[in-house]
Amino acid sequence: MSFLAARSSFLRASRGFATAAAPKKQSNLPLYLIGAGTAGIAGYYYLNLQDAKPKQEKSPLDPENFKDFKLKKIKPYNHNTSEFVFELPNNEASLLPVASCLIVKSSDPEALKDSKGKPIIRPYTPISPSDLPGELTLLVKKYDNGNASKHIHSLKEGDTLSIKGPIPKWPWKMNEFDQVALIGGGSGITPLYQILTHALTSPTNTTRFTLLFSNVTSADILLKPELDALQSKFPDNLKVVYCLDKPPTTNEGEEEWKGPKGYVGKEVVKEFVAGPELGEKLKVFVCGPPGQVEAIAGKKAGMKQGELGGVLKELGYTEDQVYKF
Protein backbone atom coordinates (compact mmCIF):
# COMPACT_ATOMS: atom_id res chain seq x y z
CA MET A 1 0.00 0.00 0.00
CA SER A 2 1.37 3.41 -0.91
CA PHE A 3 2.05 5.98 1.74
CA LEU A 4 -0.74 8.25 0.48
CA ALA A 5 -3.30 5.45 0.48
CA ALA A 6 -2.32 4.40 3.99
CA ARG A 7 -2.59 7.95 5.25
CA SER A 8 -6.04 8.34 3.70
CA SER A 9 -7.22 5.09 5.30
CA PHE A 10 -5.86 6.15 8.70
CA LEU A 11 -7.64 9.50 8.54
CA ARG A 12 -10.95 7.85 7.68
CA ALA A 13 -10.58 5.46 10.59
CA SER A 14 -9.70 8.29 12.94
CA ARG A 15 -12.75 10.28 11.96
CA GLY A 16 -15.00 7.28 12.45
CA PHE A 17 -13.51 6.59 15.91
CA ALA A 18 -13.90 10.21 16.94
CA THR A 19 -17.51 10.27 15.82
CA ALA A 20 -18.38 7.11 17.77
CA ALA A 21 -16.55 8.07 20.92
CA ALA A 22 -17.81 11.63 21.28
CA PRO A 23 -20.65 11.82 23.87
CA LYS A 24 -24.02 12.79 22.47
CA LYS A 25 -25.28 16.10 23.78
CA GLN A 26 -28.57 15.57 25.73
CA SER A 27 -31.56 17.96 25.76
CA ASN A 28 -32.37 19.84 28.98
CA LEU A 29 -36.08 19.89 28.12
CA PRO A 30 -37.10 17.09 30.56
CA LEU A 31 -35.38 18.93 33.41
CA TYR A 32 -37.16 22.14 32.45
CA LEU A 33 -40.51 20.32 32.40
CA ILE A 34 -39.89 18.70 35.80
CA GLY A 35 -38.92 22.04 37.27
CA ALA A 36 -41.95 23.73 35.77
CA GLY A 37 -44.24 20.96 37.06
CA THR A 38 -42.82 21.18 40.57
CA ALA A 39 -43.23 24.93 40.56
CA GLY A 40 -46.81 24.54 39.31
CA ILE A 41 -47.74 22.09 42.06
CA ALA A 42 -46.14 24.29 44.67
CA GLY A 43 -48.00 27.28 43.31
CA TYR A 44 -51.30 25.36 43.36
CA TYR A 45 -50.95 24.38 47.00
CA TYR A 46 -49.76 27.87 47.91
CA LEU A 47 -52.79 29.49 46.32
CA ASN A 48 -55.13 26.98 47.93
CA LEU A 49 -53.55 27.54 51.32
CA GLN A 50 -53.95 31.26 50.79
CA ASP A 51 -57.65 30.82 49.93
CA ALA A 52 -58.41 28.19 52.60
CA LYS A 53 -60.30 29.53 55.57
CA PRO A 54 -59.17 28.61 59.08
CA LYS A 55 -61.22 25.90 60.78
CA GLN A 56 -64.25 27.33 62.55
CA GLU A 57 -63.84 26.87 66.27
CA LYS A 58 -66.78 28.79 67.69
CA SER A 59 -70.49 28.87 66.98
CA PRO A 60 -72.05 32.19 65.92
CA LEU A 61 -74.73 31.42 68.51
CA ASP A 62 -74.35 32.49 72.12
CA PRO A 63 -75.43 30.15 74.96
CA GLU A 64 -75.53 33.04 77.43
CA ASN A 65 -77.20 35.81 75.46
CA PHE A 66 -79.94 36.24 72.87
CA LYS A 67 -78.81 37.40 69.43
CA ASP A 68 -80.96 38.49 66.50
CA PHE A 69 -80.76 36.42 63.31
CA LYS A 70 -82.25 37.40 59.97
CA LEU A 71 -84.97 35.24 58.44
CA LYS A 72 -83.63 34.33 55.02
CA LYS A 73 -86.36 32.08 53.64
CA ILE A 74 -89.74 30.57 54.53
CA LYS A 75 -90.61 27.19 53.03
CA PRO A 76 -94.17 25.94 53.65
CA TYR A 77 -94.13 22.27 54.65
CA ASN A 78 -97.78 21.30 55.09
CA HIS A 79 -101.09 22.83 56.17
CA ASN A 80 -99.80 24.13 59.53
CA THR A 81 -95.99 23.80 59.47
CA SER A 82 -93.19 25.67 57.71
CA GLU A 83 -89.41 25.65 57.59
CA PHE A 84 -87.85 28.93 58.70
CA VAL A 85 -84.31 29.34 57.37
CA PHE A 86 -82.20 31.87 59.28
CA GLU A 87 -78.98 33.39 58.01
CA LEU A 88 -75.78 32.80 59.97
CA PRO A 89 -73.08 35.51 59.71
CA ASN A 90 -69.88 35.07 57.67
CA ASN A 91 -71.23 31.85 56.17
CA GLU A 92 -70.45 30.06 59.42
CA ALA A 93 -72.01 26.80 60.62
CA SER A 94 -74.09 26.56 63.79
CA LEU A 95 -71.82 23.84 65.32
CA LEU A 96 -74.68 22.64 67.51
CA PRO A 97 -73.70 19.59 69.57
CA VAL A 98 -75.95 16.52 69.55
CA ALA A 99 -78.28 16.56 71.25
CA SER A 100 -79.03 20.21 71.97
CA CYS A 101 -81.69 22.82 71.32
CA LEU A 102 -82.13 26.57 71.03
CA ILE A 103 -84.34 29.03 72.89
CA VAL A 104 -86.13 31.72 70.90
CA LYS A 105 -88.06 34.87 71.64
CA SER A 106 -89.27 37.89 69.69
CA SER A 107 -86.69 40.45 68.60
CA ASP A 108 -89.26 43.07 69.57
CA PRO A 109 -89.46 43.07 73.40
CA GLU A 110 -93.06 44.28 73.21
CA ALA A 111 -94.31 41.72 70.68
CA LEU A 112 -94.42 38.46 72.63
CA LYS A 113 -95.24 38.57 76.33
CA ASP A 114 -97.13 36.44 78.81
CA SER A 115 -99.93 37.64 81.12
CA LYS A 116 -97.33 38.95 83.58
CA GLY A 117 -95.53 41.01 80.96
CA LYS A 118 -92.54 38.70 80.72
CA PRO A 119 -91.07 37.66 77.35
CA ILE A 120 -92.34 34.31 76.10
CA ILE A 121 -89.50 31.97 75.21
CA ARG A 122 -89.71 28.52 73.66
CA PRO A 123 -87.21 25.76 72.84
CA TYR A 124 -86.73 24.51 69.27
CA THR A 125 -84.37 21.93 67.82
CA PRO A 126 -82.99 22.81 64.36
CA ILE A 127 -83.34 20.26 61.56
CA SER A 128 -80.37 21.60 59.59
CA PRO A 129 -76.99 19.84 59.97
CA SER A 130 -74.68 21.44 62.53
CA ASP A 131 -71.92 21.76 59.90
CA LEU A 132 -74.10 23.44 57.26
CA PRO A 133 -72.49 26.81 56.46
CA GLY A 134 -74.54 29.98 56.56
CA GLU A 135 -77.95 28.59 57.52
CA LEU A 136 -80.01 27.41 60.48
CA THR A 137 -83.43 25.86 59.84
CA LEU A 138 -86.30 25.54 62.32
CA LEU A 139 -89.33 23.39 61.53
CA VAL A 140 -92.20 25.14 63.32
CA LYS A 141 -95.74 23.83 63.66
CA LYS A 142 -98.38 26.52 64.23
CA TYR A 143 -100.63 25.78 67.21
CA ASP A 144 -103.88 27.65 67.82
CA ASN A 145 -102.89 28.22 71.46
CA GLY A 146 -99.17 28.53 70.80
CA ASN A 147 -98.12 32.16 71.17
CA ALA A 148 -94.50 31.57 70.14
CA SER A 149 -95.37 29.45 67.12
CA LYS A 150 -97.95 32.00 65.95
CA HIS A 151 -95.38 34.77 66.31
CA ILE A 152 -92.79 32.88 64.25
CA HIS A 153 -95.38 32.17 61.56
CA SER A 154 -96.16 35.91 61.44
CA LEU A 155 -92.56 36.73 60.49
CA LYS A 156 -91.67 37.75 56.95
CA GLU A 157 -88.42 37.20 55.08
CA GLY A 158 -86.00 39.89 56.24
CA ASP A 159 -87.39 39.99 59.79
CA THR A 160 -85.32 38.76 62.71
CA LEU A 161 -85.79 36.33 65.58
CA SER A 162 -83.87 36.43 68.84
CA ILE A 163 -82.07 33.13 69.50
CA LYS A 164 -79.94 31.83 72.37
CA GLY A 165 -78.05 28.55 72.48
CA PRO A 166 -77.02 25.89 72.20
CA ILE A 167 -78.75 24.43 75.24
CA PRO A 168 -77.23 20.96 75.82
CA LYS A 169 -79.66 18.10 76.31
CA TRP A 170 -78.42 14.51 76.05
CA PRO A 171 -74.63 14.19 75.34
CA TRP A 172 -74.72 11.71 72.48
CA LYS A 173 -71.79 9.27 72.26
CA MET A 174 -71.37 7.04 69.25
CA ASN A 175 -72.21 3.38 69.89
CA GLU A 176 -72.89 3.91 73.59
CA PHE A 177 -76.01 1.74 73.17
CA ASP A 178 -76.75 -1.36 71.12
CA GLN A 179 -80.43 -0.46 70.76
CA VAL A 180 -82.12 2.96 70.80
CA ALA A 181 -85.89 3.52 70.69
CA LEU A 182 -87.19 6.96 69.73
CA ILE A 183 -90.83 7.64 70.61
CA GLY A 184 -92.16 10.92 69.28
CA GLY A 185 -95.31 12.79 68.41
CA GLY A 186 -95.98 15.81 66.18
CA SER A 187 -93.23 18.42 66.15
CA GLY A 188 -91.48 16.44 68.89
CA ILE A 189 -89.76 14.61 66.05
CA THR A 190 -87.06 17.28 65.72
CA PRO A 191 -84.63 16.23 68.54
CA LEU A 192 -85.12 12.59 67.55
CA TYR A 193 -84.36 13.48 63.93
CA GLN A 194 -81.24 15.34 65.11
CA ILE A 195 -79.93 12.16 66.76
CA LEU A 196 -80.82 9.96 63.79
CA THR A 197 -79.15 12.08 61.13
CA HIS A 198 -76.04 12.53 63.26
CA ALA A 199 -75.61 8.86 64.15
CA LEU A 200 -76.71 7.12 60.97
CA THR A 201 -74.54 9.20 58.67
CA SER A 202 -71.43 8.30 60.65
CA PRO A 203 -69.49 5.40 59.10
CA THR A 204 -68.64 4.15 62.60
CA ASN A 205 -72.24 3.75 63.79
CA THR A 206 -73.37 0.28 64.89
CA THR A 207 -76.40 1.26 67.01
CA ARG A 208 -79.79 0.02 65.80
CA PHE A 209 -82.65 2.53 65.99
CA THR A 210 -86.42 2.09 66.12
CA LEU A 211 -88.60 5.18 65.67
CA LEU A 212 -92.25 5.15 66.79
CA PHE A 213 -93.75 8.34 65.39
CA SER A 214 -97.38 9.14 66.17
CA ASN A 215 -99.58 11.77 64.53
CA VAL A 216 -103.28 12.56 64.10
CA THR A 217 -103.48 12.11 60.31
CA SER A 218 -101.06 11.21 57.54
CA ALA A 219 -100.95 14.89 56.52
CA ASP A 220 -99.50 15.71 59.96
CA ILE A 221 -96.43 13.47 59.58
CA LEU A 222 -93.41 15.78 59.57
CA LEU A 223 -90.11 14.87 57.87
CA LYS A 224 -91.60 11.71 56.39
CA PRO A 225 -89.63 11.87 53.10
CA GLU A 226 -86.41 12.43 55.05
CA LEU A 227 -87.17 9.59 57.50
CA ASP A 228 -88.12 7.21 54.69
CA ALA A 229 -84.88 8.07 52.89
CA LEU A 230 -82.86 7.30 56.03
CA GLN A 231 -84.64 3.98 56.47
CA SER A 232 -84.01 3.08 52.84
CA LYS A 233 -80.34 3.99 53.07
CA PHE A 234 -79.73 2.32 56.46
CA PRO A 235 -82.18 -0.61 56.55
CA ASP A 236 -80.07 -2.59 59.02
CA ASN A 237 -79.88 0.26 61.52
CA LEU A 238 -83.25 2.01 61.31
CA LYS A 239 -86.87 0.91 61.45
CA VAL A 240 -89.56 3.59 61.26
CA VAL A 241 -93.08 2.86 62.51
CA TYR A 242 -95.77 5.47 61.85
CA CYS A 243 -98.82 5.52 64.15
CA LEU A 244 -102.01 7.46 63.32
CA ASP A 245 -104.96 8.43 65.49
CA LYS A 246 -107.15 8.92 62.40
CA PRO A 247 -105.95 6.63 59.62
CA PRO A 248 -107.04 7.42 56.04
CA THR A 249 -109.87 5.41 54.51
CA THR A 250 -110.75 4.41 50.95
CA ASN A 251 -113.85 5.61 49.12
CA GLU A 252 -115.57 2.42 50.18
CA GLY A 253 -114.90 3.17 53.83
CA GLU A 254 -112.28 0.44 54.22
CA GLU A 255 -109.13 1.49 56.02
CA GLU A 256 -106.02 1.53 53.83
CA TRP A 257 -103.60 2.34 56.64
CA LYS A 258 -101.50 -0.69 57.56
CA GLY A 259 -99.54 0.79 60.45
CA PRO A 260 -100.57 0.96 64.13
CA LYS A 261 -103.73 2.92 64.87
CA GLY A 262 -104.44 5.10 67.87
CA TYR A 263 -102.00 6.18 70.57
CA VAL A 264 -98.66 4.54 71.30
CA GLY A 265 -99.66 2.04 73.95
CA LYS A 266 -98.28 -1.07 75.59
CA GLU A 267 -98.85 -3.37 72.65
CA VAL A 268 -97.07 -1.13 70.17
CA VAL A 269 -94.08 -0.66 72.49
CA LYS A 270 -93.88 -4.40 73.22
CA GLU A 271 -94.03 -5.21 69.51
CA PHE A 272 -91.39 -2.80 68.25
CA VAL A 273 -89.14 -1.72 71.15
CA ALA A 274 -86.38 -3.90 72.61
CA GLY A 275 -87.18 -5.11 76.11
CA PRO A 276 -85.86 -3.62 79.37
CA GLU A 277 -83.78 -6.78 79.98
CA LEU A 278 -81.09 -5.23 77.74
CA GLY A 279 -80.19 -3.01 80.67
CA GLU A 280 -77.56 -0.37 79.94
CA LYS A 281 -77.33 -1.47 76.30
CA LEU A 282 -80.74 0.14 75.64
CA LYS A 283 -81.93 3.76 75.67
CA VAL A 284 -85.43 5.12 75.04
CA PHE A 285 -85.83 8.77 74.06
CA VAL A 286 -89.28 10.38 74.26
CA CYS A 287 -90.42 13.73 72.85
CA GLY A 288 -93.85 15.06 72.02
CA PRO A 289 -96.82 16.96 73.44
CA PRO A 290 -96.83 16.96 77.27
CA GLY A 291 -99.85 14.65 77.42
CA GLN A 292 -98.18 12.06 75.22
CA VAL A 293 -94.89 12.22 77.13
CA GLU A 294 -96.76 11.76 80.42
CA ALA A 295 -98.72 8.78 79.10
CA ILE A 296 -95.60 7.06 77.76
CA ALA A 297 -92.92 7.96 80.30
CA GLY A 298 -94.42 10.05 83.09
CA LYS A 299 -94.65 13.80 83.51
CA LYS A 300 -91.54 15.95 83.33
CA ALA A 301 -90.75 18.14 86.35
CA GLY A 302 -90.10 21.42 84.59
CA MET A 303 -86.59 21.23 83.13
CA LYS A 304 -85.91 18.05 85.12
CA GLN A 305 -86.76 14.51 84.07
CA GLY A 306 -89.28 13.77 86.79
CA GLU A 307 -90.20 10.26 87.88
CA LEU A 308 -90.61 7.52 85.32
CA GLY A 309 -94.22 6.57 84.76
CA GLY A 310 -96.75 5.63 82.11
CA VAL A 311 -96.40 2.78 79.63
CA LEU A 312 -92.64 2.40 79.96
CA LYS A 313 -92.75 1.99 83.72
CA GLU A 314 -95.57 -0.53 83.46
CA LEU A 315 -93.49 -2.57 81.01
CA GLY A 316 -90.52 -2.67 83.39
CA TYR A 317 -88.18 -0.05 81.96
CA THR A 318 -86.03 1.88 84.42
CA GLU A 319 -85.32 5.59 84.83
CA ASP A 320 -81.76 5.04 83.61
CA GLN A 321 -83.10 3.63 80.35
CA VAL A 322 -85.40 6.56 79.55
CA TYR A 323 -84.75 10.19 78.62
CA LYS A 324 -87.49 12.79 78.07
CA PHE A 325 -86.71 15.76 75.83
mmCIF file of all heavy atoms in Angstrom, residues 203-231:
data_model
loop_
_atom_site.group_PDB
_atom_site.id
_atom_site.type_symbol
_atom_site.label_atom_id
_atom_site.label_comp_id
_atom_site.label_asym_id
_atom_site.label_seq_id
_atom_site.Cartn_x
_atom_site.Cartn_y
_atom_site.Cartn_z
ATOM 1 N N PRO A 203 -69.904 6.732 59.541
ATOM 2 C CA PRO A 203 -69.487 5.395 59.095
ATOM 3 C C PRO A 203 -69.142 4.461 60.244
ATOM 4 O O PRO A 203 -69.030 3.253 60.046
ATOM 5 C CB PRO A 203 -68.256 5.687 58.227
ATOM 6 C CG PRO A 203 -67.749 7.010 58.688
ATOM 7 C CD PRO A 203 -68.961 7.786 59.117
ATOM 8 N N THR A 204 -69.000 4.987 61.451
ATOM 9 C CA THR A 204 -68.642 4.152 62.598
ATOM 10 C C THR A 204 -69.860 3.660 63.381
ATOM 11 O O THR A 204 -69.709 2.873 64.306
ATOM 12 C CB THR A 204 -67.725 4.931 63.566
ATOM 13 O OG1 THR A 204 -68.449 6.051 64.111
ATOM 14 C CG2 THR A 204 -66.479 5.449 62.842
ATOM 15 N N ASN A 205 -71.054 4.108 63.007
ATOM 16 C CA ASN A 205 -72.240 3.755 63.787
ATOM 17 C C ASN A 205 -72.588 2.274 63.693
ATOM 18 O O ASN A 205 -72.616 1.688 62.610
ATOM 19 C CB ASN A 205 -73.450 4.566 63.318
ATOM 20 C CG ASN A 205 -74.724 4.150 64.039
ATOM 21 O OD1 ASN A 205 -74.854 4.366 65.248
ATOM 22 N ND2 ASN A 205 -75.642 3.523 63.320
ATOM 23 N N THR A 206 -72.885 1.665 64.843
ATOM 24 C CA THR A 206 -73.368 0.280 64.893
ATOM 25 C C THR A 206 -74.699 0.171 65.640
ATOM 26 O O THR A 206 -75.303 -0.902 65.669
ATOM 27 C CB THR A 206 -72.339 -0.637 65.581
ATOM 28 O OG1 THR A 206 -72.098 -0.167 66.916
ATOM 29 C CG2 THR A 206 -71.023 -0.657 64.809
ATOM 30 N N THR A 207 -75.151 1.262 66.250
ATOM 31 C CA THR A 207 -76.398 1.264 67.011
ATOM 32 C C THR A 207 -77.591 1.046 66.085
ATOM 33 O O THR A 207 -77.655 1.602 64.989
ATOM 34 C CB THR A 207 -76.569 2.591 67.763
ATOM 35 O OG1 THR A 207 -75.487 2.764 68.669
ATOM 36 C CG2 THR A 207 -77.879 2.618 68.546
ATOM 37 N N ARG A 208 -78.555 0.252 66.551
ATOM 38 C CA ARG A 208 -79.785 0.019 65.804
ATOM 39 C C ARG A 208 -80.911 0.860 66.409
ATOM 40 O O ARG A 208 -81.128 0.843 67.632
ATOM 41 C CB ARG A 208 -80.144 -1.466 65.819
ATOM 42 C CG ARG A 208 -79.067 -2.340 65.192
ATOM 43 C CD ARG A 208 -79.473 -3.794 65.161
ATOM 44 N NE ARG A 208 -80.616 -4.009 64.269
ATOM 45 C CZ ARG A 208 -81.169 -5.202 64.061
ATOM 46 N NH1 ARG A 208 -80.706 -6.279 64.692
ATOM 47 N NH2 ARG A 208 -82.186 -5.321 63.219
ATOM 48 N N PHE A 209 -81.616 1.596 65.553
ATOM 49 C CA PHE A 209 -82.654 2.529 65.995
ATOM 50 C C PHE A 209 -84.038 2.046 65.570
ATOM 51 O O PHE A 209 -84.219 1.508 64.473
ATOM 52 C CB PHE A 209 -82.426 3.914 65.381
ATOM 53 C CG PHE A 209 -81.167 4.600 65.848
ATOM 54 C CD1 PHE A 209 -79.963 4.398 65.194
ATOM 55 C CD2 PHE A 209 -81.190 5.460 66.940
ATOM 56 C CE1 PHE A 209 -78.807 5.032 65.612
ATOM 57 C CE2 PHE A 209 -80.044 6.102 67.371
ATOM 58 C CZ PHE A 209 -78.847 5.885 66.703
ATOM 59 N N THR A 210 -85.013 2.280 66.448
ATOM 60 C CA THR A 210 -86.422 2.090 66.117
ATOM 61 C C THR A 210 -87.152 3.386 66.449
ATOM 62 O O THR A 210 -87.061 3.882 67.576
ATOM 63 C CB THR A 210 -87.046 0.940 66.916
ATOM 64 O OG1 THR A 210 -86.371 -0.276 66.608
ATOM 65 C CG2 THR A 210 -88.522 0.788 66.553
ATOM 66 N N LEU A 211 -87.846 3.949 65.468
ATOM 67 C CA LEU A 211 -88.598 5.183 65.668
ATOM 68 C C LEU A 211 -90.092 4.879 65.636
ATOM 69 O O LEU A 211 -90.608 4.364 64.640
ATOM 70 C CB LEU A 211 -88.255 6.206 64.580
ATOM 71 C CG LEU A 211 -89.146 7.460 64.529
ATOM 72 C CD1 LEU A 211 -88.985 8.286 65.802
ATOM 73 C CD2 LEU A 211 -88.817 8.299 63.292
ATOM 74 N N LEU A 212 -90.787 5.197 66.736
ATOM 75 C CA LEU A 212 -92.245 5.145 66.786
ATOM 76 C C LEU A 212 -92.744 6.587 66.725
ATOM 77 O O LEU A 212 -92.531 7.361 67.670
ATOM 78 C CB LEU A 212 -92.737 4.483 68.072
ATOM 79 C CG LEU A 212 -92.283 3.046 68.352
ATOM 80 C CD1 LEU A 212 -92.919 2.532 69.643
ATOM 81 C CD2 LEU A 212 -92.631 2.134 67.190
ATOM 82 N N PHE A 213 -93.386 6.947 65.619
ATOM 83 C CA PHE A 213 -93.751 8.343 65.388
ATOM 84 C C PHE A 213 -95.271 8.441 65.214
ATOM 85 O O PHE A 213 -95.828 7.950 64.235
ATOM 86 C CB PHE A 213 -93.034 8.851 64.143
ATOM 87 C CG PHE A 213 -93.166 10.323 63.894
ATOM 88 C CD1 PHE A 213 -93.543 11.203 64.909
ATOM 89 C CD2 PHE A 213 -92.899 10.851 62.635
ATOM 90 C CE1 PHE A 213 -93.661 12.558 64.676
ATOM 91 C CE2 PHE A 213 -93.011 12.211 62.392
ATOM 92 C CZ PHE A 213 -93.390 13.062 63.406
ATOM 93 N N SER A 214 -95.922 9.065 66.192
ATOM 94 C CA SER A 214 -97.383 9.141 66.168
ATOM 95 C C SER A 214 -97.863 10.534 65.757
ATOM 96 O O SER A 214 -97.274 11.554 66.125
ATOM 97 C CB SER A 214 -97.954 8.787 67.547
ATOM 98 O OG SER A 214 -97.534 9.724 68.526
ATOM 99 N N ASN A 215 -98.963 10.535 64.983
ATOM 100 C CA ASN A 215 -99.585 11.774 64.527
ATOM 101 C C ASN A 215 -101.088 11.568 64.415
ATOM 102 O O ASN A 215 -101.583 10.439 64.485
ATOM 103 C CB ASN A 215 -99.015 12.194 63.168
ATOM 104 C CG ASN A 215 -97.592 12.713 63.271
ATOM 105 O OD1 ASN A 215 -97.359 13.880 63.553
ATOM 106 N ND2 ASN A 215 -96.622 11.835 63.042
ATOM 107 N N VAL A 216 -101.824 12.654 64.217
ATOM 108 C CA VAL A 216 -103.279 12.558 64.102
ATOM 109 C C VAL A 216 -103.658 11.959 62.748
ATOM 110 O O VAL A 216 -104.348 10.951 62.657
ATOM 111 C CB VAL A 216 -103.938 13.933 64.298
ATOM 112 C CG1 VAL A 216 -105.455 13.820 64.127
ATOM 113 C CG2 VAL A 216 -103.602 14.494 65.676
ATOM 114 N N THR A 217 -103.187 12.597 61.660
ATOM 115 C CA THR A 217 -103.480 12.110 60.312
ATOM 116 C C THR A 217 -102.178 11.973 59.533
ATOM 117 O O THR A 217 -101.115 12.455 59.960
ATOM 118 C CB THR A 217 -104.412 13.072 59.560
ATOM 119 O OG1 THR A 217 -103.699 14.292 59.280
ATOM 120 C CG2 THR A 217 -105.652 13.396 60.386
ATOM 121 N N SER A 218 -102.258 11.364 58.373
ATOM 122 C CA SER A 218 -101.062 11.208 57.540
ATOM 123 C C SER A 218 -100.522 12.555 57.076
ATOM 124 O O SER A 218 -99.313 12.710 56.852
ATOM 125 C CB SER A 218 -101.372 10.321 56.324
ATOM 126 O OG SER A 218 -102.455 10.847 55.580
ATOM 127 N N ALA A 219 -101.395 13.557 56.934
ATOM 128 C CA ALA A 219 -100.953 14.891 56.525
ATOM 129 C C ALA A 219 -100.139 15.588 57.609
ATOM 130 O O ALA A 219 -99.436 16.571 57.335
ATOM 131 C CB ALA A 219 -102.162 15.753 56.152
ATOM 132 N N ASP A 220 -100.217 15.097 58.842
ATOM 133 C CA ASP A 220 -99.498 15.705 59.963
ATOM 134 C C ASP A 220 -98.086 15.142 60.141
ATOM 135 O O ASP A 220 -97.330 15.637 60.972
ATOM 136 C CB ASP A 220 -100.279 15.495 61.269
ATOM 137 C CG ASP A 220 -101.611 16.232 61.265
ATOM 138 O OD1 ASP A 220 -101.610 17.447 61.003
ATOM 139 O OD2 ASP A 220 -102.639 15.574 61.506
ATOM 140 N N ILE A 221 -97.736 14.112 59.393
ATOM 141 C CA ILE A 221 -96.426 13.475 59.579
ATOM 142 C C ILE A 221 -95.325 14.390 59.049
ATOM 143 O O ILE A 221 -95.235 14.638 57.847
ATOM 144 C CB ILE A 221 -96.361 12.111 58.871
ATOM 145 C CG1 ILE A 221 -97.451 11.182 59.401
ATOM 146 C CG2 ILE A 221 -94.988 11.474 59.078
ATOM 147 C CD1 ILE A 221 -97.518 9.848 58.677
ATOM 148 N N LEU A 222 -94.508 14.882 59.940
ATOM 149 C CA LEU A 222 -93.408 15.775 59.572
ATOM 150 C C LEU A 222 -92.151 14.966 59.248
ATOM 151 O O LEU A 222 -91.895 13.928 59.859
ATOM 152 C CB LEU A 222 -93.109 16.753 60.707
ATOM 153 C CG LEU A 222 -94.283 17.645 61.153
ATOM 154 C CD1 LEU A 222 -93.856 18.521 62.330
ATOM 155 C CD2 LEU A 222 -94.769 18.510 59.995
ATOM 156 N N LEU A 223 -91.396 15.464 58.273
ATOM 157 C CA LEU A 223 -90.110 14.875 57.875
ATOM 158 C C LEU A 223 -90.244 13.435 57.355
ATOM 159 O O LEU A 223 -89.274 12.687 57.365
ATOM 160 C CB LEU A 223 -89.115 14.910 59.050
ATOM 161 C CG LEU A 223 -88.748 16.303 59.581
ATOM 162 C CD1 LEU A 223 -87.886 16.174 60.839
ATOM 163 C CD2 LEU A 223 -88.020 17.105 58.525
ATOM 164 N N LYS A 224 -91.419 13.079 56.875
ATOM 165 C CA LYS A 224 -91.601 11.711 56.394
ATOM 166 C C LYS A 224 -90.681 11.364 55.219
ATOM 167 O O LYS A 224 -90.061 10.283 55.214
ATOM 168 C CB LYS A 224 -93.060 11.452 56.009
ATOM 169 C CG LYS A 224 -93.349 9.976 55.700
ATOM 170 C CD LYS A 224 -94.825 9.749 55.418
ATOM 171 C CE LYS A 224 -95.138 8.260 55.308
ATOM 172 N NZ LYS A 224 -94.375 7.588 54.241
ATOM 173 N N PRO A 225 -90.552 12.213 54.196
ATOM 174 C CA PRO A 225 -89.625 11.869 53.104
ATOM 175 C C PRO A 225 -88.191 11.673 53.593
ATOM 176 O O PRO A 225 -87.482 10.767 53.133
ATOM 177 C CB PRO A 225 -89.739 13.061 52.149
ATOM 178 C CG PRO A 225 -91.073 13.661 52.446
ATOM 179 C CD PRO A 225 -91.275 13.472 53.909
ATOM 180 N N GLU A 226 -87.778 12.531 54.529
ATOM 181 C CA GLU A 226 -86.414 12.425 55.055
ATOM 182 C C GLU A 226 -86.240 11.142 55.871
ATOM 183 O O GLU A 226 -85.207 10.459 55.768
ATOM 184 C CB GLU A 226 -86.090 13.642 55.922
ATOM 185 C CG GLU A 226 -85.978 14.961 55.155
ATOM 186 C CD GLU A 226 -87.323 15.631 54.894
ATOM 187 O OE1 GLU A 226 -88.379 15.032 55.207
ATOM 188 O OE2 GLU A 226 -87.329 16.762 54.373
ATOM 189 N N LEU A 227 -87.248 10.804 56.682
ATOM 190 C CA LEU A 227 -87.169 9.589 57.497
ATOM 191 C C LEU A 227 -87.210 8.338 56.628
ATOM 192 O O LEU A 227 -86.474 7.370 56.864
ATOM 193 C CB LEU A 227 -88.317 9.570 58.509
ATOM 194 C CG LEU A 227 -88.265 10.644 59.593
ATOM 195 C CD1 LEU A 227 -89.586 10.673 60.368
ATOM 196 C CD2 LEU A 227 -87.100 10.410 60.544
ATOM 197 N N ASP A 228 -88.055 8.354 55.602
ATOM 198 C CA ASP A 228 -88.124 7.212 54.688
ATOM 199 C C ASP A 228 -86.796 7.030 53.949
ATOM 200 O O ASP A 228 -86.357 5.902 53.713
ATOM 201 C CB ASP A 228 -89.255 7.409 53.682
ATOM 202 C CG ASP A 228 -90.631 7.272 54.329
ATOM 203 O OD1 ASP A 228 -90.704 6.747 55.462
ATOM 204 O OD2 ASP A 228 -91.626 7.692 53.706
ATOM 205 N N ALA A 229 -86.174 8.142 53.587
ATOM 206 C CA ALA A 229 -84.884 8.067 52.891
ATOM 207 C C ALA A 229 -83.806 7.480 53.801
ATOM 208 O O ALA A 229 -82.978 6.672 53.359
ATOM 209 C CB ALA A 229 -84.472 9.457 52.408
ATOM 210 N N LEU A 230 -83.818 7.864 55.075
ATOM 211 C CA LEU A 230 -82.857 7.302 56.028
ATOM 212 C C LEU A 230 -83.072 5.804 56.210
ATOM 213 O O LEU A 230 -82.120 5.023 56.257
ATOM 214 C CB LEU A 230 -82.972 8.015 57.379
ATOM 215 C CG LEU A 230 -82.378 9.422 57.488
ATOM 216 C CD1 LEU A 230 -82.742 10.036 58.834
ATOM 217 C CD2 LEU A 230 -80.866 9.387 57.313
ATOM 218 N N GLN A 231 -84.344 5.396 56.312
ATOM 219 C CA GLN A 231 -84.641 3.980 56.475
ATOM 220 C C GLN A 231 -84.220 3.179 55.251
ATOM 221 O O GLN A 231 -83.710 2.058 55.366
ATOM 222 C CB GLN A 231 -86.133 3.783 56.743
ATOM 223 C CG GLN A 231 -86.520 2.335 56.987
ATOM 224 C CD GLN A 231 -87.965 2.190 57.416
ATOM 225 O OE1 GLN A 231 -88.281 1.453 58.338
ATOM 226 N NE2 GLN A 231 -88.869 2.904 56.762
#
